[in-house]
Amino acid sequence: MSFTRKSTLTIALSILALLFSTQCSDNRATFEELENNRLFVIFKGTYESNNPQPWNVPADLYDPVAGVQDDSVDDFFDSSQLDPASEGDEFPTAFMVDIAEMRLVDTGGEQHKFSNYRQTLVFNVNNDSDILFNGTGYLMENDDVEGKVYVAVLIYLRKIVLNKAKKYSTGEGGWKLNETLRTIFAEKTLYGFPVLPGYDFVQHLIYSHYDRIRLESTYLNRVFPVLVPIAKPYVKYSSSLDSAVLEIRFVLKNFIKKYEVDGYDALGSMTTTHFYSLSDWLYDVRERENDIGGNLLTTARMYVPGYTGSVVGTNFTGSDSYVIAVPSDPSFTDVNEYVKNFTIPDENSAKYTPGGGLSVTETVDEGFSLYTLSVAGDPIADGVVPGDTIEMISTSTTFPEQYYIVNTVDAASITFKAEEGLGNDGDVSYQVWPVNRREANPCDFAVQPRRLGSGIESLLDYYAKFEYYRYQYNQKEKGCQNLDQYKSQWTNYADELAPKNFAIPPNATYVPAGNSYIISNITAPGSYEIFSAPAPSYGTLFYDNDFTHQGTVKVPVGGSETVDCY
Amino acid sequence: MLILNKIPSSLLFYIAALLLVTALFPESGFAVKSRKDYFYKPQLGAWFGPVTPLGKGSTLVDAALSGGAFFRYNLPIRPLKIGIDASYQKYESSGVNELTLVPVYANLLYLLPVNLPIRFQLKAGVGATYNFIKPDEWDQWDPVIMGGFELSFPAGRLINIGLRVDYLYIYQGYVDKSARGGHLINAGIMLYFNL
């Protein structure tokens, strides 16, 4: 018996000794590791990674070209139609976002949960000291993640709210303010009613053209999650790093526009709600379209403090500019996605004006006519390409403005296709605009109106709108005959605007004319192409050929390279 | 000493005598020897119950249900036993934090000399714990010390049923002087056999 006792004791002690002998010198404080974060997620509401352009909201909230109002607003144009005028639109003051969770996507496409925290955040809009808009960024709540290379972040957006949304209704004396809309945000209610002023536009962030015909259209949500690509150069995140920063940017600053939604009130009178959302610069929004999907422009970059450098320089271009640094690529194919962007009509400048004394020849072709516009100059040299939009402006009022697509271009003429007899009129002038991807799409039909209310006024409005819709439908060239064509045309349209053709650069800064700039926290060592472009007007980003190549630099760790912009 | 003055001296003498007898003759200190004797056989058992980290740790991971197994053997001194105890504890969280612990320790158990059908034991031990954390995917062994209390009652000659509460401290001060280490409470119901 005593032998057994002794041997048991010996065995127990041997096991203990064995366990402790496995202690390694590279053990770590695991409980502190659970508590501490190595990965810092910074959320910014700016195009720029450094030094954002100050807010420059146009004073005129009703101007559809240079102002805040989008050209899709068609029921109520300015405060002179309002009684009293002082109750008109106001620019939002608060931006609220409700994030359900965030996930990282690795190179294999696998999703990794790292921030299972609901975050409801409120920021000041039109305020240059707010951390979301002054270049500092908001530090998000998250845990660490496995050591891997990550290429995208998924952000599950439950709500995105801008305040100052107002509902107007018709009545004696014109439009009257009905109410300032309120919304439920972060479950805040008073006696069951929403208390926070604002309008949640997540419901509008879908695509008119696909999503309306899908079975799941009623509950489709394009931003749950929104996929934010992490720009190159990719950084391998590892738990041996002291810290790593993931910077997520939404283009919000100077990119907010006003839209409208129609409805009818309980008495059957028409109402219109003016709300604020993201600019439709990329995916154009038309009259009576409430879907503004695709316009939440995002980018993200990851860098490791201690493995970064910076680019500095002075802006000698004479105009307030943006400077961007994108990873170098000898073939420039990867660079083009940042600087070529795509071509959409710059509403402020025509690409080409053929001049006076034009002769137009018409060739009839199956109900349509090919028009050849003989011009004095060389349109090829002036950059006209097939696919550009030709605008025919009537100098009389016999017919509305027409847009056609340029078919072929040669050294002395431009050919376009139009309905028989419509492309040639004595009283017209022509202008060529850069191709509008939407105009170029033969399946870009007007959105069919829906009857919104139940009263007689809504029925009559519906008939009137439906007639106008039929008119618009018949204006379209019959290049879109069936659903397959419709699907493929809109898929092409979406592809042209997809991240591979258009991306927000990872490193960007705003620099006023004559001032010096610094783009810091660029992953180093690495080669970067530096471009500059004049600052875009409110609510727009950069058009093709806006960016000028200023040089290629190798950024050293901890150092800076100088590139002046001329 | 004020309290002692208020207790009759005969009672004090009785308590002192009981403690002395218990210490000197542990096997003869109780009236029902035969039933107790089954408890002095080697014992093998398992436990199951709620486990939770304490302090800061409780905000990082959630409490969990866990279980373990143990074996106990008598020492020459009657009220003392030596035991070995191993358990598996996986703490998850609403986020991605996850903590997996496998504490393996030896302990010394002291049977309180209370003449009741329910047995009270105090225990203290040392050992090591395997710990694995996510998302870092680190794993390592750390020393652990523990103290605990359990009560059990016999269900026949073979079976004991009991409740136990243990406190475990996972020491990581040797890694970094500022490391707090982990504090855990393990509670559970247990079933064990007199072999």
Side-chain angles (χ1 to χ4, degrees):
Chain A
M1 195 62 186
S2 62
F3 170 75
T4 324
R5 281 177 181 170
K6 268 182 189 165
S7 61
T8 311
L9 204 63
T10 317
I11 291 167
L13 289 172
S14 310
I15 291 172
L16 263 179
L18 182 73
L19 292 177
F20 279 113
S21 70
T22 59
Q23 296 291 327
C24 300
S25 58
D26 62 350
N27 271 11
R28 288 170 276 201
T30 51
F31 289 88
E32 270 77 1
E33 179 61 30
L34 274 181
E35 185 183 328
N36 297 338
N37 275 359
R38 288 166 193 283
L39 179 63
F40 296 93
V41 180
I42 291 174
F43 178 40
K44 292 183 181 177
T46 53
Y47 177 92
E48 305 89 333
S49 56
N50 300 80
N51 186 34
Q53 184 182 16
W55 284 96
N56 58 356
V57 180
D60 188 347
L61 295 180
Y62 296 96
D63 181 351
V65 176
V68 174
Q69 180 158 295
D70 188 61
D71 54 5
S72 65
V73 175
D74 63 343
D75 288 326
F76 163 27
F77 303 103
D78 63 68
S79 56
S80 67
Q81 295 173 287
L82 187 71
D83 178 33
S86 59
E87 288 181 340
D89 290 325
E90 294 168 79
F91 195 76
T93 52
F95 168 74
M96 305 181 238
V97 61
D98 185 342
I99 296 172
E101 71 162 296
M102 296 189 287
R103 292 180 193 176
L104 280 164
V105 182
D106 68 20
T107 42
E110 201 186 325
Q111 295 181 12
H112 298 264
K113 294 187 175 194
F114 80 113
S115 177
N116 254 10
Y117 303 110
R118 167 118 182 261
Q119 299 181 65
T120 50
L121 314 172
V122 181
F123 302 100
N124 290 313
V125 170
N126 206 0
N127 180 339
D128 282 312
S129 60
D130 191 280
I131 52 169
L132 194 70
F133 302 113
N134 71 0
T136 310
Y138 177 81
L139 187 64
M140 306 285 279
E141 191 181 355
N142 64 285
D143 297 321
D144 279 344
V145 71
E146 279 175 61
K148 276 199 161 70
V149 175
Y150 294 99
V151 295
V153 200
L154 297 173
I155 303 176
Y156 290 75
L157 294 173
R158 294 163 58 117
K159 287 191 172 188
I160 316 176
V161 177
L162 281 163
N163 68 348
K164 300 288 183 193
K166 290 186 177 182
K167 187 175 184 177
Y168 301 93
S169 51
T170 47
E172 271 181 66
W175 291 95
K176 280 187 189 328
L177 178 66
N178 187 317
E179 59 174 329
T180 298
L181 292 184
R182 291 173 188 278
T183 189
I184 297 177
F185 184 77
E187 284 81 57
K188 283 191 175 56
T189 55
L190 190 67
Y191 309 119
F193 293 101
V195 284
L196 288 171
Y199 187 86
D200 172 25
F201 59 88
V202 155
Q203 53 184 319
H204 296 300
L205 293 181
I206 62 171
Y207 299 120
S208 273
H209 304 285
Y210 311 167
D211 295 347
R212 289 239 168 254
I213 56 172
R214 283 159 71 133
L215 284 175
E216 69 271 31
S217 61
T218 50
Y219 57 85
L220 197 71
N221 185 343
R222 281 277 175 184
V223 291
F224 196 84
V226 58
L227 187 137
V228 182
I230 297 176
K232 288 174 187 168
Y234 297 138
V235 171
K236 186 178 189 301
Y237 175 77
S238 151
S239 58
S240 61
L241 297 171
D242 281 341
S243 61
V245 178
L246 173 64
E247 178 183 289
I248 298 170
R249 306 206 304 270
F250 285 10
V251 181
L252 299 168
K253 194 174 188 180
N254 294 325
F255 208 65
I256 292 169
K257 285 221 163 190
K258 184 169 74 189
Y259 299 89
E260 70 172 13
V261 188
D262 295 343
Y264 291 87
D265 65 15
L267 300 170
S269 300
M270 187 180 171
T271 62
T272 188
T273 299
H274 285 185
F275 69 97
Y276 295 86
S277 179
L278 302 156
S279 169
D280 65 341
W281 176 78
L282 184 57
Y283 287 84
D284 190 26
V285 176
R286 302 270 176 78
E287 294 164 5
R288 295 195 305 284
E289 287 180 354
N290 296 329
D291 308 326
I292 49 183
N295 287 312
L296 179 58
L297 308 180
T298 59
T299 188
R301 60 175 182 147
M302 200 185 245
Y303 59 88
V304 178
Y307 294 89
T308 58
S310 51
V311 178
V312 298
T314 307
N315 174 13
F316 294 118
T317 61
S319 55
D320 297 348
S321 294
Y322 276 68
V323 181
I324 65 167
V326 298
S328 194
D329 168 34
S331 67
F332 257 54
T333 48
D334 283 349
V335 173
N336 283 344
E337 70 194 32
Y338 299 111
V339 297
K340 290 288 285 182
N341 296 349
F342 52 87
T343 47
I344 61 170
D346 179 345
E347 285 168 349
N348 302 318
S349 64
K351 192 173 178 181
Y352 181 65
T353 306
L358 304 167
S359 67
V360 183
T361 39
E362 180 180 357
T363 320
V364 180
D365 178 19
E366 292 178 3
F368 283 86
S369 293
L370 274 176
Y371 291 91
T372 306
L373 189 65
S374 300
V375 295
D378 182 354
I380 296 177
D382 288 328
V384 180
V385 290
D388 280 351
T389 305
I390 186 153
E391 183 187 11
M392 198 166 77
I393 306 156
S394 174
T395 48
S396 64
T397 51
T398 49
F399 60 88
E401 289 174 22
Q402 302 284 358
Y403 293 88
Y404 301 109
I405 309 301
V406 173
N407 262 28
T408 53
V409 186
D410 61 35
S413 67
I414 299 169
T415 310
F416 63 94
K417 212 172 175 184
E419 210 167 321
E420 198 176 327
L422 277 185
N424 187 8
D425 190 289
D427 257 352
V428 292
S429 68
Y430 298 90
Q431 275 193 330
V432 180
W433 299 85
V435 59
N436 180 329
R437 300 284 183 192
R438 236 191 115 164
E439 292 284 359
N441 186 340
C443 294
D444 178 27
F445 302 123
V447 171
Q448 195 174 336
R450 285 175 302 147
R451 198 183 158 193
L452 298 165
S454 53
I456 184 72
E457 191 180 331
S458 75
L459 185 65
L460 293 173
D461 282 348
Y462 170 73
Y463 286 144
K465 282 176 178 169
F466 195 80
E467 273 312 303
Y468 185 56
Y469 161 71
R470 295 211 310 183
Y471 165 77
Q472 285 179 311
Y473 188 88
N474 289 327
Q475 292 292 303
K476 235 21 210 183
E477 192 182 333
K478 303 298 176 289
C480 191
Q481 301 287 352
N482 55 43
L483 187 61
D484 284 338
Q485 278 182 8
Y486 185 88
K487 283 191 286 192
S488 67
Q489 288 290 350
W490 281 110
T491 308
N492 290 344
Y493 172 72
D495 276 354
E496 284 167 355
L497 306 183
K500 67 173 187 289
N501 289 321
F502 168 71
I504 305 289
N507 312 294
T509 186
Y510 169 74
V511 50
N515 286 32
S516 59
Y517 72 89
I518 175 165
I519 307 178
S520 53
N521 292 328
I522 297 178
T523 294
S527 286
Y528 291 87
E529 306 290 346
I530 311 299
F531 291 87
S532 73
S537 56
Y538 181 86
T540 66
L541 293 180
F542 302 96
Y543 297 100
D544 194 12
N545 299 323
D546 273 0
F547 279 106
T548 310
H549 190 221
Q550 300 286 0
T552 307
V553 286
K554 278 198 168 65
V555 178
V557 175
S560 66
E561 282 290 320
T562 305
V563 181
D564 292 332
C565 299
Y566 296 97
Chain B
M1 284 299 114
L2 267 173
I3 297 166
L4 283 180
N5 290 340
K6 286 176 183 168
I7 298 170
S9 57
S10 57
L11 186 61
L12 273 179
F13 175 76
Y14 180 76
I15 293 168
L18 187 71
L19 286 174
L20 188 67
V21 170
T22 309
L24 292 177
F25 314 103
E27 288 173 54
S28 60
F30 302 98
V32 191
K33 273 193 278 184
S34 61
R35 209 176 64 187
K36 288 274 182 203
D37 283 344
Y38 296 117
F39 197 72
Y40 292 110
K41 288 187 166 185
Q43 293 169 326
L44 181 69
W47 66 271
F48 173 77
V51 294
T52 181
L54 295 175
K56 189 84 184 177
S58 62
T59 63
L60 302 172
V61 288
D62 300 334
L65 279 176
S66 165
F70 55 88
F71 177 75
R72 280 154 192 182
Y73 203 82
N74 286 340
L75 287 179
I77 310 162
R78 231 331 157 53
L80 293 179
K81 278 171 180 278
I82 188 161
I84 183 155
D85 204 304
S87 60
Y88 175 78
Q89 307 177 9
K90 186 173 181 178
Y91 302 94
E92 290 175 339
S93 71
S94 57
V96 293
N97 286 336
E98 205 176 291
L99 172 66
T100 307
L101 296 173
V102 184
V104 180
Y105 54 84
N107 56 8
L108 198 66
L109 294 97
Y110 172 65
L111 179 67
L112 288 185
V114 181
N115 191 8
L116 282 172
I118 300 174
R119 286 168 194 120
F120 300 95
Q121 290 185 102
L122 295 175
K123 50 190 180 175
V126 294
T129 179
Y130 170 79
N131 76 61
F132 174 73
I133 59 164
K134 272 188 176 177
D136 305 78
E137 312 237 323
W138 288 354
D139 68 305
Q140 64 188 38
W141 285 89
D142 286 311
V144 61
I145 60 169
M146 63 79 62
F149 171 77
E150 57 183 61
L151 60 90
S152 62
F153 52 90
R157 293 180 176 184
L158 192 63
I159 298 171
N160 298 285
I161 297 168
L163 296 169
R164 52 186 266 164
V165 180
D166 297 339
Y167 161 77
L168 278 78
Y169 171 53
I170 297 163
Y171 176 68
Q172 285 181 338
Y174 69 97
V175 176
D176 173 357
K177 290 285 175 287
S178 64
R180 290 190 304 272
H183 304 267
L184 310 168
I185 288 286
N186 293 353
I189 51 169
M190 58 184 176
L191 179 72
Y192 58 107
F193 303 94
N194 304 321
L195 300 176

